[in-house]
Amino acid sequence: LIGEVKTVAGYVGSGVLSFASHMSDLICQFAGYCPQQVMAQGAYDETDVPDGFEPEPQLQGMLIQFANGVSAVHVGQSGDHGNFYCDVVGTEGKVRVGMYIEPKAWDKKNEEVDLQVPEKQSVFTVAYGQIADYLDGGALPHCANAEFIAVHELGFAAIESIVTGRQVEIPLQNRGRKIYANG
């Protein structure tokens, strides 16, 4: 519908691993599960963490470059349409999708296109349905294996970038950090 995806912007902040990772997954659903490098900013809340762990930072923003040439920005705050949604720009138009908004699409002339999306079929509804089906003996959900690894590589690379203030390549080389997430 929108042609080849070029850019994705996702809007949500909070904990890099425990909340913002869901937006990283939504970004990857459009950009591809092939992140190459990230540059992130974040902040730490004053949180008690167990010995041997680092606190989980709150994501303030992240730039992501994908191996397929797609660029993404993970905005660590609500956008004009609230929280938990993406704007996806392609060569033939754009689409806006998310957890709490009605999906919409526009063509190259910026005229709205009818998506004909079934009711109650948000990306999260689909994902949770796949997980439930898997637990009942069905196929492995799309949010597993390579996709799962790519999303978590993004999260840990974002933390490394926040800590070092540098751009970080994926796969992440420093695998020694222990983050106290969902704290």
Side-chain angles (χ1 to χ4, degrees):
L1 177 69
I2 65 168
E4 184 181 346
V5 173
K6 294 296 184 181
T7 308
V8 182
Y11 300 90
V12 73
S14 201
V16 172
L17 300 175
S18 60
F19 192 74
S21 61
H22 297 292
M23 180 53 60
S24 295
D25 186 35
L26 184 57
I27 289 170
C28 287
Q29 287 180 36
F30 291 98
Y33 287 91
C34 56
Q36 271 189 320
Q37 53 191 247
V38 303
M39 180 70 188
Q41 293 180 316
Y44 290 90
D45 289 338
E46 295 297 319
T47 305
D48 292 326
V49 299
D51 289 340
F53 288 86
E54 297 178 35
E56 176 184 24
Q58 303 297 302
L59 185 66
Q60 295 173 328
M62 176 169 53
L63 300 174
I64 309 166
Q65 186 61 46
F66 291 83
N68 59 10
V70 176
S71 298
V73 60
H74 194 305
V75 181
Q77 61 186 6
S78 294
D80 290 341
H81 306 280
N83 225 345
F84 242 122
Y85 75 94
C86 279
D87 284 320
V88 184
V89 179
T91 56
E92 301 297 320
K94 60 187 175 184
V95 66
R96 177 172 295 134
V97 298
M99 181 77 169
Y100 305 112
I101 63 170
E102 184 75 25
K104 293 188 176 192
W106 299 266
D107 62 17
K108 272 183 151 176
K109 296 176 186 174
N110 209 29
E111 294 177 5
E112 193 166 343
V113 176
D114 183 11
L115 286 177
Q116 300 178 7
V117 176
E119 282 190 45
K120 307 288 184 195
Q121 290 297 305
S122 77
V123 293
F124 294 102
T125 302
V126 172
Y128 295 146
Q130 289 177 357
I131 292 166
D133 290 346
Y134 175 71
L135 294 174
D136 286 338
L140 196 62
H142 293 140
C143 61
N145 294 335
E147 291 86 359
F148 177 83
I149 291 169
V151 169
H152 286 82
E153 282 284 348
L154 272 172
F156 284 101
I159 292 170
E160 187 71 17
S161 181
I162 291 167
V163 170
T164 65
R166 296 186 178 144
Q167 182 173 295
V168 173
E169 301 291 322
I170 295 174
L172 181 63
Q173 299 303 305
N174 180 4
R175 296 196 174 278
R177 295 190 182 283
K178 292 183 180 178
I179 309 299
Y180 185 64
N182 295 314

